[in-house]
Amino acid sequence: MSGPRFEAPLIDAEEETVSAPEATAVRRRLREHPALLLVGIVLAALNMRAALAGVSPLLGEIGAHFHLTATASSLVTTIPLIFMGLGSIAAPKLARRWGTEAVLCGALVLLCGGIVLRIAPPVIALFAGCAVVGTSIALLNVLMPGLIKRDFPDRAAGMTALYSTAMILGATVSAATAVPLESALGGWQGSLVSWALLAAVAGVAWIPQTVLSRRGRSAARPGGPGEGHRGNAPAHTAENGPKLSRSPLAWQVTLFMGSQSLIAYVTIAWMPTILTDHGMAKGEAGLVFAFSTLVQMAGSFVVPMLAGRMRRQRLLGVTVSSLMASGVAGLLVAPAAGAWLWAALLGIGQGGALGLALTMMVLRSGDAHTAARLSGMSQTGGYLLAAVGPLALGAVHQATGGWTVPLLLLLGVCAGLALLGLGAGRDRRIGDTA
């Protein structure tokens, strides 16, 4: 099997007409520092889940500090997901106005501020900080696939594997160190705010790329130094590009992203509780959950690499869905006895599904503009759907008094995910004629 061929011209992910000579010159200058660009991508990816994963182990302490009910405490994890969906809508427009690099840098600065805001004294600051964190992560989520499509057209699958693995690594380290940092830094506030440092470092790493990109954009504008030799590159906007809302393939990618996100966040919210409700000690349940998060890195790295070498990714879609379904079925049949095996199956499947969803945003797009827009569509719908999952299955659990019906419903989502993988994994691009 041969690797994917990216034949579309390289054009900025911010979907703007620019001077072809000036844009080429700026892109060449950026690529003269590949190590800096790679470091920037990895640092940004580490931040894309760390600020969220470190909250769950501390949720009890946060709720007790602010005297929150269990329902109110759940908003600490639900609000970021809602704003990860809503914030995705604005990402392409901001990138078109300011440039991808500038928005990525700004998102990291915003993330740093949101992390700090969460530990401010009034409880409203906690929820406002959660909204800011979710919004900033949404910008990172949406713009990264378009940036990779633009700057690494021949290595898109490998770069997707790198940043999705770094994203999961950040989440794993954050979850594993939340309680030790709480002890070392004198409370949950110190544990949460410590991740602002990583966001600040990542923001600094994007400053050189932002400066170079802004110079090129300024030179390419009317009246700028590049005006005298503007190329004839067409304006790539949502109006004259493929109509994503009318593309069945775009909807299949979007629903694949949303379904795998729902399964992942239901697992994050309820897997430890399922295990403890079946007699497992809280400490061991926490270790099982951390292990499941850790092994996601295997799937998130291997699956995108395989996807990039295949013309069709349908088999991969069915495989990762089957792995997750096996893990859910195990929790239904023998949750405590086989917990470590079910955790491994769920983790590998979830990591692979995430990596495949991110890779298909790139592989199903003909150019960087479409990749950025598809990323925005997929992650808007995906995270809004994911926000519904934990609350809905929790309500079903409360209504039925057990985990049988919620887990059966989750198996149904896994089956739907496999069907979506068959559609989204076809060897087609959005806009192709039948």
Side-chain angles (χ1 to χ4, degrees):
M1 291 176 290
S2 60
R5 296 178 62 191
F6 297 96
E7 299 173 355
L10 290 182
I11 34 189
D12 272 354
E14 52 263 27
E15 308 178 20
E16 179 177 65
T17 300
V18 295
S19 165
E22 291 291 340
T24 301
V26 171
R27 195 62 52 218
R28 186 182 302 115
R29 291 170 66 187
L30 290 173
R31 288 174 176 166
E32 286 174 357
H33 308 282
L36 182 61
L37 183 57
L38 285 172
V39 167
I41 290 173
V42 170
L43 285 174
L46 288 171
N47 278 280
M48 288 166 69
R49 293 295 181 273
L52 301 178
V55 172
S56 295
L58 306 174
L59 203 54
E61 288 80 356
I62 296 172
H65 178 85
F66 288 108
H67 307 289
L68 301 175
T69 65
T71 301
S73 295
S74 70
L75 292 175
V76 178
T77 55
T78 301
I79 288 175
L81 289 177
I82 294 173
F83 279 85
M84 284 167 69
L86 296 177
S88 300
I89 300 172
K93 296 179 181 179
L94 291 174
R96 187 163 60 245
R97 172 66 179 85
W98 299 103
T100 299
E101 290 84 358
V103 176
L104 284 172
C105 184
L108 290 163
V109 173
L110 187 67
L111 177 61
C112 182
I115 292 172
V116 173
L117 182 60
R118 289 189 303 186
I119 69 165
V123 68
I124 190 63
L126 171 67
F127 296 128
C130 290
V132 173
V133 166
T135 301
S136 56
I137 292 175
L139 300 178
L140 298 172
N141 282 341
V142 171
L143 296 180
M144 196 66 75
L147 179 114
I148 287 175
K149 176 76 173 182
R150 182 195 67 188
D151 290 347
F152 300 94
D154 298 319
R155 292 177 288 167
M159 290 302 301
T160 300
L162 175 64
Y163 97 82
S164 61
T165 302
M167 183 166 55
I168 293 172
L169 176 62
T172 302
V173 173
S174 177
T177 60
V179 175
L181 285 174
E182 179 189 20
S183 301
L185 300 176
W188 65 268
Q189 294 93 336
S191 180
L192 286 189
V193 81
S194 63
W195 293 100
L197 178 61
L198 179 62
V201 170
V204 170
W206 276 97
I207 291 177
Q209 315 290 345
T210 300
V211 171
L212 287 173
S213 176
R214 294 295 295 174
R215 286 178 181 173
R217 288 166 61 87
S218 297
R221 294 184 187 280
E227 183 182 16
H229 45 73
R230 288 180 66 87
N232 296 320
H236 291 265
T237 66
E239 286 71 22
N240 61 16
K243 300 293 184 181
L244 299 187
S245 62
R246 299 180 183 177
S247 169
L249 182 57
W251 279 110
Q252 287 163 347
V253 173
T254 296
L255 292 174
F256 186 90
M257 177 68 185
S259 298
Q260 69 85 24
S261 296
L262 185 150
I263 297 168
Y265 283 100
V266 164
T267 304
I268 289 172
W270 295 116
M271 183 178 179
T273 304
I274 292 171
L275 295 175
T276 55
D277 283 355
H278 286 86
M280 183 176 287
K282 289 184 178 180
E284 185 179 358
L287 290 175
V288 172
F289 173 65
F291 171 71
S292 181
T293 305
L294 179 64
V295 298
Q296 287 182 29
M297 288 190 291
S300 70
F301 185 81
V302 173
V303 170
M305 296 295 289
L306 292 175
R309 289 168 171 78
M310 295 177 171
R311 293 183 59 188
R312 302 174 183 84
Q313 293 77 37
R314 306 179 82 180
L315 178 60
L316 288 176
V318 173
T319 300
V320 296
S321 303
S322 299
L323 286 171
M324 286 189 286
S326 299
V328 173
L331 290 176
L332 184 62
V333 176
W340 292 93
L341 176 59
W342 316 142
L345 293 172
L346 278 166
I348 296 172
Q350 288 170 1
L354 173 62
L356 182 59
L358 296 172
T359 303
M360 287 196 296
M361 294 177 198
V362 177
L363 297 180
R364 300 288 86 87
S365 303
D367 53 55
H369 307 315
T370 304
R373 291 169 52 222
L374 179 60
S375 177
M377 176 180 173
S378 299
Q379 300 196 60
T380 298
Y383 289 112
L384 289 176
L385 182 59
V388 172
L391 291 176
L393 266 71
V396 174
H397 164 63
Q398 185 173 347
T400 61
W403 288 107
T404 299
V405 176
L407 289 173
L408 286 173
L409 290 175
L410 202 58
L411 279 175
V413 177
C414 292
L417 184 68
L419 293 176
L420 291 166
L422 289 174
R426 292 174 295 165
D427 183 21
R428 293 192 61 188
R429 291 180 180 176
I430 293 169
D432 287 352
T433 57

mmCIF file of all heavy atoms in Angstrom, residues 46-75:
data_model
loop_
_atom_site.group_PDB
_atom_site.id
_atom_site.type_symbol
_atom_site.label_atom_id
_atom_site.label_comp_id
_atom_site.label_asym_id
_atom_site.label_seq_id
_atom_site.Cartn_x
_atom_site.Cartn_y
_atom_site.Cartn_z
ATOM 1 N N LEU A 46 0.767 19.008 24.072
ATOM 2 C CA LEU A 46 0.804 18.638 25.489
ATOM 3 C C LEU A 46 -0.229 19.409 26.301
ATOM 4 O O LEU A 46 -0.762 18.918 27.298
ATOM 5 C CB LEU A 46 2.203 18.886 26.063
ATOM 6 C CG LEU A 46 3.311 17.936 25.621
ATOM 7 C CD1 LEU A 46 4.666 18.438 26.101
ATOM 8 C CD2 LEU A 46 3.063 16.521 26.149
ATOM 9 N N ASN A 47 -0.525 20.629 25.865
ATOM 10 C CA ASN A 47 -1.474 21.477 26.583
ATOM 11 C C ASN A 47 -2.928 21.206 26.225
ATOM 12 O O ASN A 47 -3.829 21.723 26.885
ATOM 13 C CB ASN A 47 -1.175 22.954 26.281
ATOM 14 C CG ASN A 47 -0.054 23.504 27.132
ATOM 15 O OD1 ASN A 47 -0.251 23.850 28.287
ATOM 16 N ND2 ASN A 47 1.143 23.576 26.551
ATOM 17 N N MET A 48 -3.184 20.415 25.196
ATOM 18 C CA MET A 48 -4.545 20.283 24.676
ATOM 19 C C MET A 48 -5.450 19.408 25.531
ATOM 20 O O MET A 48 -6.659 19.377 25.317
ATOM 21 C CB MET A 48 -4.491 19.755 23.233
ATOM 22 C CG MET A 48 -3.988 20.812 22.248
ATOM 23 S SD MET A 48 -3.520 20.171 20.620
ATOM 24 C CE MET A 48 -5.116 19.697 19.952
ATOM 25 N N ARG A 49 -4.889 18.686 26.518
ATOM 26 C CA ARG A 49 -5.704 17.899 27.439
ATOM 27 C C ARG A 49 -5.235 18.010 28.891
ATOM 28 O O ARG A 49 -5.977 17.634 29.806
ATOM 29 C CB ARG A 49 -5.705 16.424 27.030
ATOM 30 C CG ARG A 49 -6.389 16.114 25.719
ATOM 31 C CD ARG A 49 -7.864 16.399 25.754
ATOM 32 N NE ARG A 49 -8.495 16.072 24.466
ATOM 33 C CZ ARG A 49 -8.579 16.902 23.441
ATOM 34 N NH1 ARG A 49 -8.066 18.120 23.529
ATOM 35 N NH2 ARG A 49 -9.183 16.534 22.321
ATOM 36 N N ALA A 50 -4.019 18.488 29.109
ATOM 37 C CA ALA A 50 -3.454 18.495 30.460
ATOM 38 C C ALA A 50 -4.312 19.279 31.448
ATOM 39 O O ALA A 50 -4.530 18.856 32.584
ATOM 40 C CB ALA A 50 -2.030 19.056 30.421
ATOM 41 N N ALA A 51 -4.807 20.450 31.027
ATOM 42 C CA ALA A 51 -5.587 21.291 31.935
ATOM 43 C C ALA A 51 -6.930 20.660 32.288
ATOM 44 O O ALA A 51 -7.537 21.032 33.291
ATOM 45 C CB ALA A 51 -5.818 22.664 31.302
ATOM 46 N N LEU A 52 -7.403 19.701 31.486
ATOM 47 C CA LEU A 52 -8.661 19.019 31.767
ATOM 48 C C LEU A 52 -8.443 17.761 32.596
ATOM 49 O O LEU A 52 -9.184 17.495 33.545
ATOM 50 C CB LEU A 52 -9.363 18.639 30.455
ATOM 51 C CG LEU A 52 -9.703 19.775 29.496
ATOM 52 C CD1 LEU A 52 -10.343 19.211 28.232
ATOM 53 C CD2 LEU A 52 -10.625 20.782 30.155
ATOM 54 N N ALA A 53 -7.432 16.975 32.243
ATOM 55 C CA ALA A 53 -7.228 15.681 32.896
ATOM 56 C C ALA A 53 -6.844 15.833 34.363
ATOM 57 O O ALA A 53 -7.130 14.944 35.175
ATOM 58 C CB ALA A 53 -6.154 14.886 32.159
ATOM 59 N N GLY A 54 -6.202 16.943 34.719
ATOM 60 C CA GLY A 54 -5.781 17.128 36.101
ATOM 61 C C GLY A 54 -6.897 17.511 37.046
ATOM 62 O O GLY A 54 -6.688 17.579 38.262
ATOM 63 N N VAL A 55 -8.102 17.748 36.516
ATOM 64 C CA VAL A 55 -9.220 18.173 37.350
ATOM 65 C C VAL A 55 -9.921 16.993 38.008
ATOM 66 O O VAL A 55 -10.257 17.046 39.201
ATOM 67 C CB VAL A 55 -10.235 18.990 36.522
ATOM 68 C CG1 VAL A 55 -11.498 19.263 37.319
ATOM 69 C CG2 VAL A 55 -9.611 20.302 36.081
ATOM 70 N N SER A 56 -10.158 15.918 37.259
ATOM 71 C CA SER A 56 -10.960 14.796 37.765
ATOM 72 C C SER A 56 -10.474 14.229 39.091
ATOM 73 O O SER A 56 -11.284 14.004 39.996
ATOM 74 C CB SER A 56 -11.027 13.690 36.700
ATOM 75 O OG SER A 56 -11.723 14.151 35.560
ATOM 76 N N PRO A 57 -9.158 13.982 39.280
ATOM 77 C CA PRO A 57 -8.724 13.446 40.575
ATOM 78 C C PRO A 57 -8.941 14.413 41.739
ATOM 79 O O PRO A 57 -8.911 13.994 42.899
ATOM 80 C CB PRO A 57 -7.219 13.192 40.351
ATOM 81 C CG PRO A 57 -7.064 13.072 38.878
ATOM 82 C CD PRO A 57 -8.056 14.027 38.303
ATOM 83 N N LEU A 58 -9.146 15.708 41.450
ATOM 84 C CA LEU A 58 -9.281 16.718 42.504
ATOM 85 C C LEU A 58 -10.721 17.214 42.646
ATOM 86 O O LEU A 58 -10.970 18.159 43.402
ATOM 87 C CB LEU A 58 -8.373 17.909 42.197
ATOM 88 C CG LEU A 58 -6.895 17.593 41.957
ATOM 89 C CD1 LEU A 58 -6.144 18.841 41.523
ATOM 90 C CD2 LEU A 58 -6.264 17.016 43.228
ATOM 91 N N LEU A 59 -11.643 16.586 41.936
ATOM 92 C CA LEU A 59 -13.008 17.104 41.900
ATOM 93 C C LEU A 59 -13.657 17.119 43.284
ATOM 94 O O LEU A 59 -14.400 18.046 43.627
ATOM 95 C CB LEU A 59 -13.847 16.271 40.928
ATOM 96 C CG LEU A 59 -15.094 16.936 40.336
ATOM 97 C CD1 LEU A 59 -14.736 18.253 39.679
ATOM 98 C CD2 LEU A 59 -15.769 16.005 39.341
ATOM 99 N N GLY A 60 -13.372 16.090 44.094
ATOM 100 C CA GLY A 60 -13.926 16.050 45.448
ATOM 101 C C GLY A 60 -13.454 17.218 46.298
ATOM 102 O O GLY A 60 -14.243 17.864 47.002
ATOM 103 N N GLU A 61 -12.149 17.509 46.218
ATOM 104 C CA GLU A 61 -11.600 18.617 46.993
ATOM 105 C C GLU A 61 -12.134 19.963 46.508
ATOM 106 O O GLU A 61 -12.414 20.857 47.319
ATOM 107 C CB GLU A 61 -10.072 18.602 46.914
ATOM 108 C CG GLU A 61 -9.400 17.485 47.683
ATOM 109 C CD GLU A 61 -9.416 16.160 46.927
ATOM 110 O OE1 GLU A 61 -10.023 16.104 45.829
ATOM 111 O OE2 GLU A 61 -8.847 15.184 47.444
ATOM 112 N N ILE A 62 -12.277 20.114 45.197
ATOM 113 C CA ILE A 62 -12.810 21.363 44.646
ATOM 114 C C ILE A 62 -14.249 21.571 45.099
ATOM 115 O O ILE A 62 -14.639 22.666 45.530
ATOM 116 C CB ILE A 62 -12.719 21.349 43.104
ATOM 117 C CG1 ILE A 62 -11.250 21.310 42.660
ATOM 118 C CG2 ILE A 62 -13.413 22.568 42.515
ATOM 119 C CD1 ILE A 62 -11.067 21.103 41.169
ATOM 120 N N GLY A 63 -15.072 20.511 45.010
ATOM 121 C CA GLY A 63 -16.460 20.605 45.444
ATOM 122 C C GLY A 63 -16.583 20.924 46.918
ATOM 123 O O GLY A 63 -17.430 21.742 47.317
ATOM 124 N N ALA A 64 -15.740 20.297 47.745
ATOM 125 C CA ALA A 64 -15.792 20.557 49.186
ATOM 126 C C ALA A 64 -15.378 21.989 49.511
ATOM 127 O O ALA A 64 -15.956 22.635 50.394
ATOM 128 C CB ALA A 64 -14.892 19.563 49.917
ATOM 129 N N HIS A 65 -14.382 22.493 48.790
ATOM 130 C CA HIS A 65 -13.901 23.859 49.042
ATOM 131 C C HIS A 65 -14.988 24.893 48.769
ATOM 132 O O HIS A 65 -15.155 25.858 49.530
ATOM 133 C CB HIS A 65 -12.678 24.138 48.166
ATOM 134 C CG HIS A 65 -12.133 25.522 48.317
ATOM 135 N ND1 HIS A 65 -11.237 25.862 49.306
ATOM 136 C CD2 HIS A 65 -12.365 26.673 47.607
ATOM 137 C CE1 HIS A 65 -10.931 27.151 49.204
ATOM 138 N NE2 HIS A 65 -11.603 27.663 48.177
ATOM 139 N N PHE A 66 -15.742 24.708 47.672
ATOM 140 C CA PHE A 66 -16.775 25.672 47.299
ATOM 141 C C PHE A 66 -18.174 25.253 47.765
ATOM 142 O O PHE A 66 -19.156 25.917 47.426
ATOM 143 C CB PHE A 66 -16.789 25.848 45.771
ATOM 144 C CG PHE A 66 -15.604 26.601 45.230
ATOM 145 C CD1 PHE A 66 -14.616 25.939 44.508
ATOM 146 C CD2 PHE A 66 -15.474 27.961 45.429
ATOM 147 C CE1 PHE A 66 -13.530 26.629 43.999
ATOM 148 C CE2 PHE A 66 -14.388 28.664 44.931
ATOM 149 C CZ PHE A 66 -13.416 27.995 44.209
ATOM 150 N N HIS A 67 -18.261 24.138 48.514
ATOM 151 C CA HIS A 67 -19.536 23.639 49.027
ATOM 152 C C HIS A 67 -20.521 23.374 47.873
ATOM 153 O O HIS A 67 -21.680 23.770 47.910
ATOM 154 C CB HIS A 67 -20.143 24.615 50.033
ATOM 155 C CG HIS A 67 -19.214 24.996 51.144
ATOM 156 N ND1 HIS A 67 -18.848 24.103 52.144
ATOM 157 C CD2 HIS A 67 -18.555 26.160 51.403
ATOM 158 C CE1 HIS A 67 -18.003 24.702 52.984
ATOM 159 N NE2 HIS A 67 -17.809 25.947 52.551
ATOM 160 N N LEU A 68 -20.036 22.689 46.841
ATOM 161 C CA LEU A 68 -20.848 22.393 45.666
ATOM 162 C C LEU A 68 -21.532 21.043 45.823
ATOM 163 O O LEU A 68 -20.978 20.118 46.421
ATOM 164 C CB LEU A 68 -19.973 22.373 44.406
ATOM 165 C CG LEU A 68 -19.206 23.653 44.059
ATOM 166 C CD1 LEU A 68 -18.303 23.411 42.853
ATOM 167 C CD2 LEU A 68 -20.163 24.798 43.782
ATOM 168 N N THR A 69 -22.729 20.943 45.253
ATOM 169 C CA THR A 69 -23.381 19.645 45.166
ATOM 170 C C THR A 69 -22.682 18.799 44.112
ATOM 171 O O THR A 69 -21.850 19.296 43.334
ATOM 172 C CB THR A 69 -24.860 19.809 44.794
ATOM 173 O OG1 THR A 69 -24.945 20.366 43.467
ATOM 174 C CG2 THR A 69 -25.580 20.723 45.780
ATOM 175 N N ALA A 70 -23.034 17.513 44.054
ATOM 176 C CA ALA A 70 -22.414 16.637 43.055
ATOM 177 C C ALA A 70 -22.726 17.111 41.638
ATOM 178 O O ALA A 70 -21.865 17.088 40.752
ATOM 179 C CB ALA A 70 -22.912 15.207 43.261
ATOM 180 N N THR A 71 -23.964 17.581 41.418
ATOM 181 C CA THR A 71 -24.337 18.057 40.085
ATOM 182 C C THR A 71 -23.545 19.301 39.715
ATOM 183 O O THR A 71 -23.041 19.426 38.591
ATOM 184 C CB THR A 71 -25.842 18.373 40.027
ATOM 185 O OG1 THR A 71 -26.572 17.193 40.346
ATOM 186 C CG2 THR A 71 -26.242 18.853 38.639
ATOM 187 N N ALA A 72 -23.429 20.228 40.659
ATOM 188 C CA ALA A 72 -22.669 21.453 40.393
ATOM 189 C C ALA A 72 -21.198 21.141 40.171
ATOM 190 O O ALA A 72 -20.541 21.754 39.324
ATOM 191 C CB ALA A 72 -22.850 22.441 41.542
ATOM 192 N N SER A 73 -20.677 20.184 40.908
ATOM 193 C CA SER A 73 -19.269 19.812 40.726
ATOM 194 C C SER A 73 -19.022 19.250 39.333
ATOM 195 O O SER A 73 -17.945 19.464 38.752
ATOM 196 C CB SER A 73 -18.858 18.784 41.781
ATOM 197 O OG SER A 73 -18.911 19.327 43.082
ATOM 198 N N SER A 74 -20.002 18.535 38.787
ATOM 199 C CA SER A 74 -19.829 17.956 37.456
ATOM 200 C C SER A 74 -19.687 19.018 36.375
ATOM 201 O O SER A 74 -19.145 18.753 35.299
ATOM 202 C CB SER A 74 -21.002 17.037 37.115
ATOM 203 O OG SER A 74 -22.189 17.787 36.915
ATOM 204 N N LEU A 75 -20.157 20.251 36.666
ATOM 205 C CA LEU A 75 -20.010 21.330 35.691
ATOM 206 C C LEU A 75 -18.540 21.676 35.450
ATOM 207 O O LEU A 75 -18.197 22.212 34.392
ATOM 208 C CB LEU A 75 -20.758 22.578 36.168
ATOM 209 C CG LEU A 75 -22.278 22.478 36.202
ATOM 210 C CD1 LEU A 75 -22.876 23.746 36.802
ATOM 211 C CD2 LEU A 75 -22.846 22.240 34.805
#
